[in-house]
Amino acid sequence: MIESAKIMPRHLVRVAIVYLRQSSAAQVEHNRESTDRQYALVHKAGDLGWPADRIIVIDEDLGLSGSGSVARSGFARLTAEVALGHVGIVLGLEVSRLARNNADWYRLIDLCGLSDTLIGDSDGLYHPADFNDRLLLGLKGTMSEAELYVLRARLNGGIRNKAARGELRRGLPVGFVWGEADGEVRFHPDEAVVTAINTIFRRFAETGSARRVWLWLRSEGHRFPLQMHQGADIRWVEASYTAVHHVLTNPVYAGVYAYGKSRHETILDPAGVRRKRVRRLPQSEWQVLIKEHHAGFIDWPTYEANQARLAANTRPKPHQAGGAVREGNALLQGIARCGHCGRSLRTHYRGRNSAPGYHCAGKNVVEGRGVYCLNIGGVQIDDAVIQSFLAALEPAKLAATIAAAERLEVDTQAALKQWRLGVERATYEASRAERRYRAVDPDNRLVARGLEHEWEQRLSDLETAKSELARRERQRPRVLGQEDRERLLALGADLATVWQAPTTTSRDRKELLRALIEEVILTVNRDKAAAHVTLRWKGGALIDLDVPLPRSRPATVRTDEDTIELVRRLAALYPDTVIAGILNRQGRRTARGHRFEANRVGNLRRHWDIPCFESKPASEGEVMTIKK
C-alpha cells in the first residue's frame, strides 16, 4: 500500500506538527546530527503536501527525558492540538522521540485515532484508526520502552559491579582524595584539612554532642574546610552545624566504602502529577558496604558508637530513654524511668532554691481528676545515686586522674597546631601573591594594581594569623610539672571533692553518670514513705537501693478536733450557710481566729474530705420547717 495514499484532503487543510526531543542537555550539545535530522522533517512534511505556513515545529522539549518522570510542555501542547482536531499529521524521527513510556504513547495514539490524525516517522506513515497500523504503533512503543529499560539495566549493572569491588569513583567528602590505583582513597594532602576533621571527632568524643562541637568551633574561631566538588579548591569558611553533623554521620570517615544508601522513587502528588524523591535507606538495605576499605579518621566500632550517641541526643520516643544532656540540676534527666508504667520521667524544679524533681507524664484518673502516677522530689534520689556511683568508681579514680592530666596537655597542643597550620597557609598565600605581582609586566598597571592589592590583603591576613597565634600561646595553660601532677593525683583520690567542686558543672556530672549508668528506675511507696531505685549499669548489672523519703509533718495551725467533728455531723443535715451560723452562735472560731462564713466552712469540708449537704425533694408526709 502506498503510504501517501493515507493522506486525504481533510488532513492537508490541517497543520503538520514536527516534534523534536533529545533526552539530555549533553545530547543537545554534542549529538548535533540527531537534532539536525529531526529539524529536516520539516522538508518531509512539505514533500507530503503541507504548505510551509501550516508546518509547526515544537522543540520546547529539547534536553528533557521522555520516560514520563519530567513534565514536557511541548508534548502537552502537541496532545492538546491533536485533541482539538487541529493536526493532520504528527512527524517524529522515531517513536522514542515522541515518548519513552506507554502511558504517554498510548494516550497520543488514542487521541490521533479519535481525531483522524496521522503519525509519521522515518519508516512510514500510520493511521491509528486502522487496526494494523495501531498494532504496529503499539508494538513500536512497547519496544521503545523496553529499549530504555535494557539500556538502563545494562549501565546500572556495570556501575553496581564496579561498586561491589569498591572501585567506582564517586564524590568523596572533604578530607579524602582518590589515589592512582583502582579504588584507592587517600587522606587529603593538606595537613590543615586533616587536622580540622580530626579535631571534630576528638571534640565529639569529649562532649558527645554535635551542637556542642559546632559551638566550640565557633567560640574558638576555627575555620572549616569546604570543597564544593571533587578537585575544587579548598575554601576555609565558618563552621556550620550541618557540616559538623555531616562529618560525624558520613561512614566514609570510618574507612568504609558505601554505595546505594538512597533510592529514587516516583510518587503522585495531591494534584496527580508524577514526582521524584530520594529516600534514604537504613544501613541494612545498603547495596554495598565494604569495611576497612581505606584508612579512616575513626574505626567502624567508633562510628557505630557515635551514631548511637547522636540518636540518643534527639528527643526520645515514648517509652524510650535518652535526650541530650542539659544544664539543669536534675542529674537523672533523660535516664530516669517510671517503675509503675515504664514511661520516661520528666524533670521539674520547685521552690525558692529550684529543687529538682521527677514526674511521670502519664496520668491516672482518680475520683474524676487526672493525677501523675509518680511525682517525687529529686534531692534524696540524686544523693543516693551519687553515693552508689562514687562507690563504683573507687578503683578507677587514680587512673582517671592521670588520663585527665594527659588529655589536658594533648588538647592544648592540638588546638595550637591548628593555628600554626593557619599561619603556614597564610604565609604560602602571601608568597604566592608576591610571586604573581613580581611576574607581571610593570607597564601593565591595570593588572599590577589588582595584584598589588591582593598581595597587601594576603600580608594583612598573615599578620592577623600571627597575632592570633601569639595571643593563644600566651593564654595556653602552663605544662604540668611533677609537683602539679602530685597535687592533682592527691585531689583525684578524693573524687567526691571533685564532684562537689564549683568548677564541675551539672552537665559534667550528667556526662559522668551516663558513662556508666544506662537507666534508673524509680518506684514510690507513699504508705511507707520510701522509694525503690534500680540502677541498670552499662553491661546489664543491676543494683537496688531503698531511699527513705521525708514524711510530711502535720500542719502547725489547724482547726480543733471538736469543731471538725461537729462540721462532719452537721454537713449531712445542713448547707454551709446554716453550719456557719451554728458555729458562730456557739462561739467557735477558725484556726486563724476568724468568724465562720459559708466559704470558710466549704474550705474546711474540702480539706478534710467531708461531703457536702444534698437537699432532697419534698415528699408527701415529710416534716418540714416553718421557713420551707
Side-chain angles (χ1 to χ4, degrees):
M1 181 178 180
I2 302 176
E3 299 293 340
S4 59
K6 298 179 181 179
I7 303 176
M8 300 296 176
R10 63 179 181 273
H11 297 136
L12 296 175
V13 298
R14 303 178 186 177
V15 298
I17 292 183
V18 177
Y19 181 78
L20 285 74
R21 188 188 64 80
Q22 289 281 67
S23 299
S24 63
Q27 292 183 3
V28 177
E29 181 179 0
H30 302 292
N31 300 350
R32 297 297 306 168
E33 193 65 29
S34 177
T35 307
D36 295 340
R37 290 181 60 197
Q38 295 183 65
Y39 276 111
L41 294 175
V42 175
H43 302 293
K44 182 177 181 179
D47 297 339
L48 293 176
W50 270 269
D53 58 345
R54 283 205 293 273
I55 300 176
I56 300 176
V57 177
I58 297 180
D59 54 1
E60 304 167 14
D61 297 339
L62 285 174
L64 298 179
S65 173
S67 60
S69 58
V70 294
R72 293 184 291 163
S73 60
F75 187 80
R77 175 185 167 194
L78 168 64
T79 54
E81 293 294 331
V82 171
L84 294 174
H86 298 165
V87 183
I89 188 172
V90 177
L91 292 175
L93 188 61
E94 55 186 17
V95 172
S96 62
R97 297 300 94 193
L98 292 170
R100 280 282 194 178
N101 65 96
N102 284 333
D104 293 343
W105 177 239
Y106 278 104
R107 183 164 64 249
L108 178 61
I109 292 177
D110 288 338
L111 292 176
C112 290
L114 293 175
S115 61
D116 191 19
T117 302
L118 302 177
I119 296 179
D121 61 7
S122 58
D123 296 330
L125 301 180
Y126 310 93
H127 198 311
D130 183 73
F131 174 77
N132 293 324
D133 288 355
R134 183 184 181 89
L135 180 63
L136 185 56
L137 289 173
L139 182 60
K140 281 193 169 189
T142 303
M143 293 178 61
S144 176
E145 188 176 33
E147 179 188 12
L148 183 64
Y149 171 80
V150 171
L151 290 175
R152 184 183 294 113
R154 187 182 303 164
L155 294 175
N156 289 338
I159 291 175
R160 295 193 191 96
N161 188 44
K162 195 169 186 178
R165 302 193 305 268
E167 299 177 359
L168 180 64
R169 297 203 171 194
R170 305 179 68 87
L172 291 174
V174 61
F176 290 106
V177 294
W178 287 105
E180 298 179 358
D182 292 338
E184 182 184 7
V185 179
R186 297 178 177 177
F187 289 115
H188 199 282
D190 192 340
E191 185 181 1
V193 175
V194 177
T195 304
I197 303 300
N198 277 323
T199 301
I200 293 177
F201 285 107
R202 186 175 61 253
R203 294 301 302 181
F204 181 78
E206 299 174 7
T207 61
S209 170
R211 183 175 180 273
R212 293 182 64 185
V213 174
W214 167 58
L215 293 177
W216 180 83
L217 292 174
R218 290 173 59 91
S219 63
E220 294 295 324
H222 289 300
R223 312 289 283 180
F224 182 82
L226 177 64
Q227 191 173 24
M228 300 304 296
H229 57 84
Q230 196 69 27
D233 294 335
I234 296 292
R235 294 193 296 113
W236 292 88
V237 299
E238 186 175 353
S240 64
Y241 174 81
T242 303
V244 173
H245 190 271
H246 175 73
V247 170
L248 295 173
T249 56
N250 197 329
V252 179
Y253 290 103
V256 171
Y257 183 91
Y259 175 79
K261 297 184 295 182
S262 60
R263 181 172 62 206
H264 292 270
E265 295 180 347
T266 302
I267 61 173
L268 295 178
D269 62 6
V273 181
R274 299 176 60 177
R275 302 290 185 187
K276 276 192 173 184
R277 68 178 182 183
V278 178
R279 178 187 175 191
R280 296 189 179 276
L281 301 176
Q283 180 181 324
S284 59
E285 299 182 15
W286 292 358
Q287 298 182 23
V288 178
L289 179 63
I290 305 176
K291 301 177 182 178
E292 299 181 0
H293 175 267
H294 55 271
F297 291 88
I298 56 176
D299 55 10
W300 181 251
T302 304
Y303 171 81
E304 291 183 324
N306 290 348
Q307 304 316 300
R309 202 168 185 181
L310 288 172
N313 289 343
T314 59
R315 181 166 183 166
K317 298 179 180 179
H319 302 282
Q320 289 185 359
V325 172
R326 304 191 184 279
E327 291 78 7
N329 295 327
L331 297 181
L332 305 184
Q333 168 253 323
I335 61 175
R337 186 176 296 278
C338 178
H340 301 286
C341 65
R343 290 184 174 89
S344 179
L345 295 182
R346 298 184 180 180
T347 59
H348 60 262
Y349 298 91
R350 294 175 179 173
R352 185 174 301 173
N353 297 325
S354 298
Y358 306 99
H359 66 272
C360 181
K363 290 185 178 182
N364 299 322
V365 178
V366 178
E367 296 181 356
R369 302 177 63 185
V371 297
Y372 293 122
C373 63
L374 187 148
N375 192 352
I376 185 174
V379 178
Q380 291 79 14
I381 303 298
D382 288 353
D383 290 342
V385 174
I386 290 172
Q387 295 301 325
S388 179
F389 176 77
L390 295 179
L393 284 181
E394 193 71 30
K397 292 178 181 177
L398 197 59
T401 305
I402 297 176
E406 295 176 352
R407 175 62 64 87
L408 179 62
E409 297 179 3
V410 171
D411 290 349
T412 303
Q413 292 296 335
L416 290 178
K417 179 182 179 181
Q418 190 73 5
W419 289 103
R420 293 191 183 103
L421 293 176
V423 172
E424 292 183 13
R425 184 170 60 252
T427 303
Y428 167 73
E429 295 291 341
S431 300
R432 187 176 65 171
E434 180 183 5
R435 290 194 302 269
R436 294 177 60 187
Y437 172 74
R438 297 187 183 280
V440 72
D441 186 0
D443 295 333
N444 192 353
R445 299 306 304 166
L446 294 177
V447 178
R449 279 196 299 268
L451 294 177
E452 183 181 10
H453 176 72
E454 181 182 359
W455 185 18
E456 293 176 353
Q457 182 65 36
R458 298 304 180 188
L459 290 176
S460 176
D461 295 342
L462 176 59
E463 292 300 324
T464 302
K466 288 182 177 180
S467 61
E468 183 66 20
L469 175 61
R471 184 182 68 84
R472 292 182 178 273
E473 286 181 341
R474 289 193 301 268
Q475 293 179 352
R476 65 179 297 185
R478 61 188 181 90
V479 179
L480 296 177
Q482 184 63 29
E483 182 180 354
D484 297 328
R485 286 179 176 271
E486 293 177 356
R487 188 183 302 111
L488 184 60
L489 293 177
L491 180 61
D494 187 7
L495 189 57
T497 303
V498 179
W499 182 276
Q500 299 295 340
T503 55
T504 306
T505 63
S506 298
R507 183 187 289 271
D508 297 333
R509 298 186 182 99
K510 294 179 185 180
E511 290 283 2
L512 288 173
L513 282 178
R514 293 192 180 194
L516 293 182
I517 299 178
E518 184 75 26
E519 189 178 53
V520 179
I521 304 173
L522 300 180
T523 305
V524 179
N525 189 338
R526 290 296 180 185
D527 297 334
K528 298 182 179 180
H532 184 74
V533 181
T534 301
L535 302 181
R536 184 161 65 87
W537 301 81
K538 299 280 188 180
L542 299 177
I543 293 181
D544 294 329
L545 304 175
D546 290 321
V547 182
L549 300 178
R551 293 181 179 272
S552 58
R553 62 178 182 177
T556 56
V557 179
R558 58 180 295 176
T559 308
D560 59 90
E561 294 294 339
D562 293 342
T563 303
I564 295 173
E565 185 63 26
L566 179 59
V567 171
R568 194 181 304 276
R569 297 197 306 268
L570 294 176
L573 303 174
Y574 304 105
D576 295 344
T577 305
V578 178
I579 296 175
I582 294 174
L583 296 177
N584 291 330
R585 283 195 297 272
Q586 293 184 5
R588 299 178 182 271
R589 292 291 185 268
T590 65
R592 301 288 182 180
H594 302 296
R595 289 173 54 84
F596 279 98
E597 297 175 353
N599 291 337
R600 290 171 178 168
V601 173
N603 293 334
L604 185 64
R605 281 192 306 96
R606 285 186 288 272
H607 179 76
W608 294 103
D609 295 331
I610 301 174
C612 63
F613 169 73
E614 296 182 2
S615 59
K616 299 180 180 179
S619 59
E620 185 178 356
E622 181 183 358
V623 179
M624 302 179 65
T625 63
I626 297 176
K627 185 176 180 180
K628 291 183 178 180

Coordinates of all heavy atoms in Angstrom, one line a residue, residues 363-372:
K363 N -0.9 10.1 83.2 CA -1.9 10.4 84.2 C -2.9 9.3 84.4 O -3.4 8.8 83.4 CB -2.5 11.8 84.0 CG -1.6 13.0 84.0 CD -2.4 14.2 83.9 CE -1.5 15.5 84.0 NZ -2.2 16.7 83.9
N364 N -3.3 9.1 85.7 CA -4.4 8.2 86.0 C -5.5 9.0 86.5 O -5.4 10.1 87.1 CB -4.0 7.2 87.1 CG -2.8 6.3 86.6 OD1 -2.7 5.9 85.5 ND2 -1.9 6.0 87.5
V365 N -6.8 8.6 86.2 CA -8.0 9.3 86.7 C -8.4 8.7 88.0 O -8.7 7.5 88.2 CB -9.1 9.1 85.6 CG1 -10.4 9.8 86.1 CG2 -8.7 9.6 84.3
V366 N -8.3 9.6 89.0 CA -8.6 9.2 90.4 C -9.7 10.2 90.9 O -9.5 11.4 90.9 CB -7.4 9.3 91.3 CG1 -7.8 8.9 92.7 CG2 -6.3 8.3 90.8
E367 N -10.9 9.7 91.2 CA -12.1 10.5 91.6 C -12.3 11.6 90.7 O -12.6 12.7 91.0 CB -11.8 11.0 93.0 CG -11.6 10.0 94.1 CD -11.4 10.6 95.5 OE1 -11.2 11.8 95.6 OE2 -11.3 9.8 96.5
G368 N -12.3 11.3 89.4 CA -12.6 12.2 88.3 C -11.6 13.2 88.0 O -11.8 14.1 87.2
R369 N -10.4 13.1 88.6 CA -9.3 14.0 88.3 C -8.1 13.3 87.9 O -7.8 12.2 88.3 CB -9.0 14.9 89.6 CG -10.2 15.7 90.1 CD -9.8 16.4 91.4 NE -8.7 17.4 91.2 CZ -8.2 18.1 92.1 NH1 -8.6 17.9 93.4 NH2 -7.2 18.9 91.9
G370 N -7.3 13.9 87.0 CA -6.1 13.3 86.5 C -4.9 13.6 87.4 O -4.6 14.7 87.7
V371 N -4.2 12.5 87.9 CA -3.0 12.7 88.8 C -1.9 11.9 88.2 O -2.1 10.9 87.5 CB -3.4 12.2 90.2 CG1 -4.4 13.1 90.8 CG2 -3.7 10.8 90.2
Y372 N -0.7 12.4 88.4 CA 0.5 11.7 88.0 C 0.6 10.4 88.7 O 0.4 10.3 89.9 CB 1.8 12.5 88.2 CG 1.9 13.7 87.3 CD1 2.0 15.0 87.9 CD2 1.8 13.6 85.9 CE1 2.1 16.1 87.1 CE2 1.9 14.8 85.2 CZ 2.0 16.0 85.7 OH 2.1 17.1 85.0

